[in-house]
Amino acid sequence: MVPTVTEPTIIVAASDSSAASKAGADYICDGIDDQYEIQAAIDALPARGGTVQLTEGTFKCSGNILPGSYTTLSGQGDERTTLIFTNNGLIWLKNDSIALEGFRATGSGYSGQSAHRGVIYITASHMWIKDVTATADRSIQAVFYVQSIEGYNRDIEYIAFIGCVADSPGTYGFLHSSQDTEYRVHRYVQYTDCRATDCGRYSRFNNWVTGFDFAELNDIESLRVTRCIAEGNWESGFHLEWAPDKNDVVFTDCISRNNGRKPYPDYYDTSGEYYFGAGYYAPKGSYTFNNCTAEGNSAYGFFFSYPDGVYLYDCTDFETGRGKTDYSQVKPTSFFIVQSLLTHANPSIVMENCESIESFGYGLHIALMDHVQINNFRLTDPAGIDGKGAVVGGSPRGALFMDSSIDIHATGDRVSTLIYAMGNRNVVYSGQIDSNAAHPFVIDGYGTSNVRVQNMQMLPVGSAGIMLTQDVPEGAVTIVKS
């Protein structure tokens, strides 16, 4: 994906560059409309491409920069080379095969069509963006923006962001979307060592600003997100919208921390767009999460609805709901999983060696689900909601949970019930519960049938153990002592 053409190299110096840098430059800017000198250097490259090398200093641009195919635009690093865009100026990558590397960009005061673009605006394929830090005020839709638009008559493919940072903007950090085109798939997209910090926290383009939004109106396929961090963002840290197709999406070693800075709403329903507040918001699609961490996100650590083949390995949530106090509408949950009954995946979701630690609400909430496989889930000291630390199948709607297995290892005394199961059918439980809670494991009656609890160790000795409510039909639950 790295452009192979780097020669020839044309050097552009800033107005405040050193005398030595200016002496070696092919173009010298004067600090006014510096995009003209940069564009002249780009246009001077041969058709086979090359590199425009920016020196140290500040380039003040009041218009667009449009790199050609096989062009590399490179600075001296994000602490030495800065591009400041005003008057609707941005870097528009509308030709294939372009690289940007090693500079800082800021944008402000956008209006008209430019307000719905990005400071780094990508509408073509084969892009390599490395070690670029950027920010913007609230007047533009995104900092880094990949958008399918009319006129580019094929899907966008092979986009790589490496070491890029969206630094405290008043808008989306990284955004993918589509408009006015049937070519809406973004395919073979890579994010490595990128960060989105405080996006929308202090001011915002709209009330839904997220750190990373990989699927707004576009479909996404073969997305790899590795060692990326989302922190302090107004809404979700890592986000994908419900409607687009999401296939082969893999997160590895990512961290989503303190997202959902937005106040809790007065009314909330997960079927509507009232609030996200998630570390990872991943509805309706096929995903894999490897060793990912959520910490202190306001509503959810990991949110899944309509999972269509989702796999989580070694994922951890710390203190979901931290910083909030009124949980009357939003029930903070480490792992929130709903509605595989309307998909066809088997298994719908697999969790291996995952853990919820000291959630301010539920550690686990599962409803309207089937074909769930959970192995070695560790539920550590949840604060719970209404005295329950984890809810499986039960909800005010009496939602069902079917054809599944849960191996859970739970500890903590802050709730009266660590695990509450309702409406379970063809479900097997195993694991260990170590708690002095009044009723550590409760199985309630609505829709309960063919539930088997086997190899479930209850500690300490003398624990209240497993409680079946009076609504459980006779013979619906089998308990095999370990």
Side-chain angles (χ1 to χ4, degrees):
M1 296 170 68
V2 183
T4 57
V5 177
T6 58
E7 298 296 335
T9 296
I10 297 177
I11 298 174
V12 181
S15 61
D16 58 351
S17 294
S18 67
S21 294
K22 290 179 178 179
D26 300 287
Y27 294 84
I28 300 175
C29 298
D30 60 4
I32 301 173
D33 294 332
D34 290 343
Q35 75 276 5
Y36 288 126
E37 287 83 3
I38 296 172
Q39 191 65 50
I42 291 169
D43 295 342
L45 292 170
R48 71 179 187 276
T51 297
V52 170
Q53 180 71 60
L54 304 178
T55 65
E56 83 288 350
T58 300
F59 297 84
K60 298 180 180 179
C61 303
S62 58
N64 292 344
I65 295 173
L66 303 172
S69 293
Y70 310 110
T71 295
T72 296
L73 179 62
S74 180
Q76 305 300 314
D78 64 357
E79 294 184 354
R80 300 191 65 207
T81 301
T82 299
L83 288 80
I84 298 177
F85 288 97
T86 57
N87 196 34
N88 293 329
L90 48 87
I91 302 177
W92 189 348
L93 310 185
K94 61 192 303 184
N95 300 297
D96 288 341
S97 303
I98 297 170
L100 306 179
E101 184 172 3
F103 58 82
R104 182 180 181 90
T106 68
S108 62
Y110 292 89
S111 62
Q113 289 184 339
S114 294
H116 299 282
R117 294 170 178 166
V119 179
I120 310 297
Y121 186 48
I122 299 171
T123 60
S125 298
H126 295 272
M127 302 298 175
W128 174 269
I129 319 298
K130 185 173 187 293
D131 296 334
V132 174
T133 296
T135 192
D137 65 10
R138 59 178 293 182
S139 65
I140 194 168
Q141 191 164 2
V143 177
F144 298 90
Y145 194 177
V146 183
Q147 187 179 33
S148 299
I149 62 173
E150 185 178 13
Y152 190 80
N153 295 326
R154 54 194 181 277
D155 293 331
I156 289 179
E157 298 183 322
Y158 297 105
I159 307 295
F161 292 96
I162 301 172
C164 293
V165 179
D167 185 11
S168 304
T171 189
Y172 293 76
F174 298 84
L175 175 63
H176 290 248
S177 195
S178 175
Q179 183 178 3
D180 300 328
T181 178
E182 61 183 287
Y183 302 97
R184 51 178 287 168
V185 179
H186 296 182
R187 185 182 295 111
Y188 310 129
V189 177
Q190 171 187 347
Y191 284 81
T192 305
D193 297 318
C194 294
R195 288 186 289 122
T197 303
D198 293 336
C199 299
R201 181 173 179 180
Y202 304 109
S203 65
R204 60 209 60 92
F205 179 81
N206 60 32
N207 208 30
W208 304 103
V209 169
T210 64
F212 295 82
D213 185 345
F214 302 110
E216 182 64 23
L217 298 174
N218 61 293
D219 298 330
I220 193 83
E221 182 178 312
S222 297
L223 168 67
R224 299 292 182 268
V225 186
T226 306
R227 296 188 304 275
C228 292
I229 299 173
E231 183 168 10
N233 299 295
W234 183 246
E235 261 291 357
S236 306
F238 297 95
H239 186 91
L240 302 97
E241 276 291 317
W242 184 87
D245 291 335
K246 286 87 63 182
N247 295 300
D248 188 25
V249 173
V250 180
F251 292 82
T252 302
D253 297 331
C254 292
I255 298 171
S256 195
R257 182 189 297 125
N258 297 332
N259 299 291
R261 309 298 296 193
K262 182 179 180 180
Y264 276 177
D266 294 330
Y267 172 74
Y268 178 63
D269 186 337
T270 56
S271 65
E273 292 185 351
Y274 301 104
Y275 191 82
F276 299 118
Y280 304 85
Y281 191 88
K284 196 171 73 75
S286 59
Y287 307 88
T288 300
F289 291 80
N290 299 305
N291 195 40
C292 290
T293 300
E295 179 182 346
N297 299 291
S298 66
Y300 309 102
F302 297 82
F303 180 105
F304 302 101
S305 61
Y306 302 89
D308 197 13
V310 173
Y311 298 84
L312 290 86
Y313 303 105
D314 304 299
C315 292
T316 303
D317 176 82
F318 297 90
E319 296 187 342
T320 287
R322 185 172 68 198
K324 304 293 186 180
T325 56
D326 181 2
Y327 304 131
S328 58
Q329 290 298 326
V330 177
K331 314 299 184 187
T333 305
S334 297
F335 295 86
F336 184 89
I337 309 166
V338 293
Q339 296 174 312
S340 67
L341 292 177
L342 303 179
T343 67
H344 300 288
N346 185 3
S348 60
I349 188 165
V350 174
M351 296 172 60
E352 298 272 357
N353 305 319
C354 296
E355 183 171 13
S356 165
I357 300 174
E358 297 181 358
S359 171
F360 279 76
Y362 299 130
L364 177 68
H365 186 281
I366 305 176
L368 279 172
M369 290 289 295
D370 59 357
H371 303 301
V372 174
Q373 297 177 12
I374 297 179
N375 184 48
N376 192 31
F377 180 77
R378 298 177 301 282
L379 176 66
T380 302
D381 202 21
I385 299 291
D386 299 327
K388 301 177 180 70
V391 173
V392 183
S395 77
R397 301 174 183 175
L400 292 173
F401 179 61
M402 304 187 302
D403 304 322
S404 300
S405 63
I406 295 184
D407 179 68
I408 187 167
H409 300 257
T411 61
D413 299 321
R414 292 197 290 170
V415 290
S416 57
T417 297
L418 272 169
I419 304 169
Y420 174 81
M422 175 191 277
N424 285 206
R425 188 168 75 218
N426 303 330
V427 177
V428 177
Y429 287 92
S430 60
Q432 179 179 325
I433 300 177
D434 188 349
S435 174
N436 290 308
H439 304 291
F441 187 4
V442 173
I443 300 177
D444 209 342
Y446 176 88
T448 300
S449 65
N450 195 29
V451 173
R452 184 178 180 88
V453 183
Q454 63 185 32
N455 301 322
M456 177 69 81
Q457 186 177 16
M458 306 300 297
L459 295 173
V461 174
S463 163
I466 302 168
M467 173 184 171
L468 308 185
T469 71
Q470 62 183 4
D471 296 324
V472 175
E474 185 176 354
V477 178
T478 301
I479 299 174
V480 180
K481 294 184 178 180
S482 59

